[in-house]
Amino acid sequence: MPPERTARPSPDGPSAGGRKSARTRERILAAAAQILSGQGWAGTRLADIAEVAAVQAPAVYYYWPSREELLAEVVTVGQQATHAHVVASLEALPGDAGAFDRIDRAIAAHLEVVLDRSDFALAAIRNAAQLPLDIRERQLVGQRDYADVWRGLVEDAVAAGELAADVDARAARMLVLGALNWAPEWWHPDRGSLDEVVATTQHVVRSGLGRSRATPR
């Protein structure tokens, strides 16, 4: 995250105070997430972000040195939001939860945050392939950390004997993540509820990958 430029006067005025400045920064960041999630990296303009955030466009440069750094922060926040929500959901399960119960919970948490809870998470997923090379290299750390969560879930299923014997664990993990990340491109509330999408995804994954073919919780 780039440091704030404290040497320049605040766009909110000299008496605005740190809290108002922080609120303005968060408002701009949220506006950037909203625009980026819908318009993509190339189509996101500072003028549009400023309009949604109700600030003058030059005010953005008080908080970020460039458009690219602003959008990079949106992607970083989005990655962290998805990771944190999935991990928190897994930690809320009882200690004796089965491997596929944990996979079911991770599926639900991922879809919840991307489809319903966070423009940041949606922007991060939709723009992963559009990032400039230097920014993409910085984001790969977060992507790998999140992939490690799913690697652990699948490895636990293998160790517990819950993954079907004829399933390649790495391919399974990549296919599941790919399907989850593609969901924002086709899902809309008018075409079915989020709960239905979650339940269907859990059923497909468990039925296709699980040895027991049990019904998900």
Side-chain angles (χ1 to χ4, degrees):
M1 181 185 303
E4 295 187 11
R5 298 183 178 183
T6 55
R8 294 175 58 183
S10 166
D12 298 311
S15 61
R19 284 182 295 180
K20 184 175 181 181
S21 179
R23 288 196 300 270
T24 301
R25 187 183 194 283
E26 291 305 308
R27 196 166 70 247
I28 294 170
L29 194 63
Q34 178 183 332
I35 300 296
L36 183 60
S37 66
Q39 300 298 324
W41 188 275
T44 297
R45 303 187 308 158
L46 285 184
D48 295 332
I49 294 171
E51 181 179 358
V52 172
V55 300
Q56 297 296 316
V60 174
Y61 292 107
Y62 171 74
Y63 301 99
W64 293 273
S66 67
R67 166 189 174 275
E68 287 69 26
E69 288 301 321
L70 166 58
L71 300 188
E73 183 170 344
V74 169
V75 173
T76 297
V77 171
Q79 287 181 333
Q80 293 170 346
T82 303
H83 191 157
H85 184 60
V86 170
V87 169
S89 296
L90 291 170
E91 290 176 346
L93 287 172
D96 60 352
F100 263 93
D101 292 331
R102 290 174 59 78
I103 290 173
D104 285 340
R105 185 59 245 171
I107 287 170
H110 184 106
L111 291 174
E112 287 165 2
V113 70
V114 171
L115 298 181
D116 187 55
R117 298 193 178 194
S118 174
D119 284 336
F120 290 90
L122 179 58
I125 285 175
R126 281 187 162 170
N127 291 276
Q130 301 179 38
L131 304 179
L133 182 58
D134 59 328
I135 293 176
R136 177 165 176 73
E137 289 177 348
R138 285 152 49 187
Q139 305 304 327
L140 282 175
V141 175
Q143 290 178 15
R144 288 166 180 156
D145 287 344
Y146 186 56
D148 284 344
V149 173
W150 283 89
R151 183 177 293 106
L153 291 170
V154 174
E155 288 177 352
D156 287 348
V158 173
E162 294 187 29
L163 197 73
D166 58 348
V167 169
D168 179 88
R170 181 180 183 278
R173 171 173 57 86
M174 300 299 290
L175 286 167
V176 171
L177 273 175
L180 293 176
N181 288 338
W182 186 249
E185 303 305 321
W186 59 264
W187 182 78
H188 190 276
D190 293 343
R191 300 173 185 170
S193 72
L194 177 59
D195 287 344
E196 290 171 339
V197 172
V198 168
T200 299
T201 306
Q202 290 172 333
H203 177 75
V204 169
V205 171
R206 188 182 284 248
S207 298
L209 305 181
R211 184 184 295 273
S212 65
R213 270 59 173 182
T215 302
R217 296 177 183 177

